[in-house]
């Protein structure tokens, strides 16, 4: 059977089992029918024997046996009864076994062959015994006088061959039932075999075991997270990488189980709402970005389809997870460098205009005006830098704010920055501060630039006890109350679409801010004055390395 498929092996075993079961059932039915026929024959012979023993004719003849032979009187009587009752013999005998009647007249006067002890004790009984006519089912009943003496005995019986003829009448029914059981069992085995052949695709147990080993090795070796969720929203498969990317405990369901899905469902996992909804929906997804507590994941999802009996059936959805956290971090750093580059470009443009003005004044001989113009320009351009350098002792953050100020100025927005707290010793990572402040300023500048004058953005950093409070306000239209929670979700943005690629990166900035604040153990709130006001409270980490 090694070369047979799993379905073929099962069919062979089922057919063999059905044949054995049919033989067992047929034998049991035959024996039961045989027992019933023998019991019916015994009851019939016993009834006839008792009726003969109670007959006044037989009792009277037995009482006169001492003076004259009962045979002439009883032999015709028993012969008539044998014909009427459809029996093979009725023998009336003396207590000493001497036959008074017999189906074969030549046997009259001879000794009865069979057991008579119970009859002599006054108890009728039935037995199967081989006498002069061959094996027979016979009943022996005593003949009592009026005073209770045993005058003789009556034996009535049918030959076993006659019983077998009666049993043969039931054999067709027994064989028909056995044949029906065998036919139904074989048909059921064939139907089950076809189903298993479709489900296992004709593979044998050895091949299935080999495929399972390959499958388990692939799940543990791939660097992407893999999750299979069935149509009921239950997690069927979750490999080690998926558990690591989602921050979940290692799962025992990295391989299928005969007990069915192990995890109760997607809702039982601590996942972001957007990712939980995606996995539960089973819809197609291509390179969707989902932000967890400490990672940015790229998720792809496709329906899992099973082909059975030339029909396809959706059994769930397969989702793959890729870590994009490092790419997003590099993108954030690149955006910071781009901001600084834009600031340098705008400052270069402004300085070129001012330098041309100074050179022109010198060429016109207006030396005093050129000197005053240069002095005033130096004072104004240095004011913001001096303020930030003095108040912000974090050089990376100071550089970021200077770049954002130049960028805002280029878009007609005034950026006011004030830091009354020292960030030294707070233990807050500079990278996280850049993510929080940079994205908040970007959103505030965009909101202020889209509103009417005056256009302004304010940044205030203060220290309140053991917390650093960062507040960013703008003169924009603000955020509606029903959108206050939505703007912190990935993919949601209140900015209008403009251009074919405007959707890229939309709704990511505030989601990254919320993720960084949550990772630092802080709180983010949104309020409104003239425009939107974002307030971030971050607990200090005194003594921690930056």
């Amino acid at each position: 059977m090694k070369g047979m498929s799993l379905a073929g092996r099962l069919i062979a075993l089922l057919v063999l089992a059905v044949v054995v079961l049919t033989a067992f059932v047929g034998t049991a039915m035959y024996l039961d029918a045989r027992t019933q026929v023998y019991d019916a024959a015994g009851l019939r012979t016993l009834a006839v024997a008792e009726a003969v023993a109670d007959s006044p004719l037989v009792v009277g003849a037995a009482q006169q046996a001492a003076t004259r032979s009962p045979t002439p009187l009883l032999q015709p009587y028993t012969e008539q009864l044998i014909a009427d009752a459809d029996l093979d013999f009725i023998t009336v005998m003396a207590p000493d076994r001497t036959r008074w009647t017999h189906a074969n007249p030549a046997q009259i006067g001879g000794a009865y062959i069979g057991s008579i002890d119970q009859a002599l004790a006054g108890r009728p009984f039935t037995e199967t015994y081989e006498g002069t006519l061959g094996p027979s089912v016979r009943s022996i009943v005593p003949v009592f006088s009026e005073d209770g003496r045993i005058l003789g005995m009556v034996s009535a019986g049918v030959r076993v061959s006659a019983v077998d003829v009666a049993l043969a009448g039931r054999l067709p029914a027994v064989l028909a039932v056995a044949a029906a059981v065998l036919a139904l069992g074989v048909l059921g085995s064939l139907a089950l075999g076809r189903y298993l052949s479709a489900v296992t695709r004709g593979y044998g147990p050895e091949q299935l075991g080999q495929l399972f080993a390959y499958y388990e090795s692939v799940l543990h070796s791939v660097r992407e997270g893999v999750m299979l969720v069935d149509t009921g929203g239950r997690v069927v498969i979750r490999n080690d990488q998926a558990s690591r990317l989602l921050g979940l405990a290692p799962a025992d369901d990295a391989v299928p189980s005969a007990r069915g899905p192990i995890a109760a469902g997607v809702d039982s996992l601590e996942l972001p709402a957007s990712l939980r909804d995606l996995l539960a929906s089973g819809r197609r997804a291509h390179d969707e970005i989902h932000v967890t507590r400490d990672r940015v994941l790229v998720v792809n999802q496709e329906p899992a389809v099973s082909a059975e009996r030339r029909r396809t059936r959706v059994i769930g959805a397969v989702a793959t997870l890729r870590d994009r956290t490092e790419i997003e971090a590099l993108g954030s750093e690149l955006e910071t460098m781009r901001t600084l580059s834009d600031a340098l470009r705008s400052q270069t443009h402004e300085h070129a205009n001012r330098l041309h003005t100074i050179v022109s004044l010198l060429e016109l001989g207006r030396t005093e005006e050129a000197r005053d113009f240069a002095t005033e320009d130096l004072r104004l351009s240095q004011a913001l830098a001096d303020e930030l350098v003095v108040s912000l002792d974090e050089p990376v953050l100071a550089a970021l704010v200077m770049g954002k100020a130049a960028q805002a100025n280029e878009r007609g927005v005034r950026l006011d920055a004030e830091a009354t707290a020292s960030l030294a010793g707070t233990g807050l990572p500079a990278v996280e501060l850049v993510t929080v402040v940079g994205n908040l300023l970007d959103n505030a500048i965009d909101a202020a630039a889209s509103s009417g004058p005056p256009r302004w953005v304010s940044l205030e950093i203060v220290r309140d006890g053991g917390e650093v409070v960062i507040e960013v306000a703008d003169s924009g239209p603000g955020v509606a109350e029903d959108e206050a929670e939505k703007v912190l979700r990935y993919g949601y943005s209140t900015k209008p679409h403009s251009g074919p690629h405007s959707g890229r990166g939309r709704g990511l900035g505030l989601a990254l801010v919320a993720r960084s604040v949550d990772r630092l153990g802080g709180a983010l709130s949104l309020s409104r004055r003239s425009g939107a006001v974002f307030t971030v409270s971050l607990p200090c980490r005194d003594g921690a390395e930056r």
Side-chain angles (χ1 to χ4, degrees), residues 355-425:
L355 182 59
H356 289 161
T357 302
I358 294 173
V359 171
S360 297
L361 289 173
L362 291 175
E363 289 177 350
L364 294 174
R366 311 287 292 270
T367 306
E368 290 296 329
E369 288 84 347
R371 184 183 62 188
D372 293 341
F373 182 82
T375 302
E376 180 66 17
D377 178 59
L378 178 61
R379 185 184 66 82
L380 293 175
S381 61
Q382 194 68 24
L384 179 60
D386 291 341
E387 179 181 353
L388 291 174
V389 170
V390 171
S391 59
L392 281 178
D393 50 5
E394 175 54 67
V396 176
L397 190 59
L400 173 69
V401 175
M402 288 181 62
K404 294 297 181 184
Q407 193 176 35
N409 182 63
E410 194 175 41
R411 299 181 62 181
V413 178
R414 187 185 79 254
L415 172 60
D416 298 323
E418 181 180 2
T420 61
S422 173
L423 298 179

Side-chain angles (χ1 to χ4, degrees), residues 464-538:
D464 183 12
E467 290 185 336
V468 173
V469 180
I470 302 172
E471 182 183 276
V472 177
D474 60 69
S475 62
V479 179
E481 292 184 3
D482 58 342
E483 296 180 338
E485 294 183 3
K486 298 179 182 178
V487 295
L488 300 180
R489 300 177 186 172
Y490 169 76
Y492 185 85
S493 176
T494 57
K495 302 174 186 178
H497 290 270
S498 59
H501 304 292
S502 61
R504 293 183 180 178
R506 288 173 54 84
L508 181 60
L510 289 178
L512 293 176
V513 171
R515 188 200 67 179
S516 295
V517 171
D518 184 60
R519 189 162 51 243
L520 294 174
L524 172 63
S525 62
L526 172 61
S527 59
R528 183 186 180 98
R529 286 201 289 267
S530 59
V533 179
F534 287 89
T535 304
V536 176
S537 299
L538 301 175

Side-chain angles (χ1 to χ4, degrees), residues 62 65 93-98 100 116 120 143 149-153:
M93 70 194 82
D96 62 354
R97 293 179 179 265
T98 301
W100 291 334
I116 62 172
L120 291 176
V143 178
R149 291 182 298 107
I150 296 178
L151 303 176
M153 294 170 288

Side-chain angles (χ1 to χ4, degrees), residues 115-178:
S115 302
I116 62 172
D117 294 339
Q118 295 188 47
L120 291 176
R123 297 189 302 273
F125 72 98
T126 302
E127 67 174 352
T128 301
Y129 198 86
E130 184 172 358
T132 58
L133 299 178
S136 62
V137 177
R138 59 182 67 181
S139 296
I140 299 94
V141 177
V143 178
F144 292 101
S145 63
E146 292 181 356
D147 57 1
R149 291 182 298 107
I150 296 178
L151 303 176
M153 294 170 288
V154 177
S155 173
V158 291
R159 287 178 295 177
V160 172
S161 58
V163 174
D164 292 339
V165 170
L167 178 61
R170 298 192 181 188
L171 281 181
V174 174
L175 294 178
V177 172

Side-chain angles (χ1 to χ4, degrees), residues 89 162 294:
F89 66 89
D294 55 356

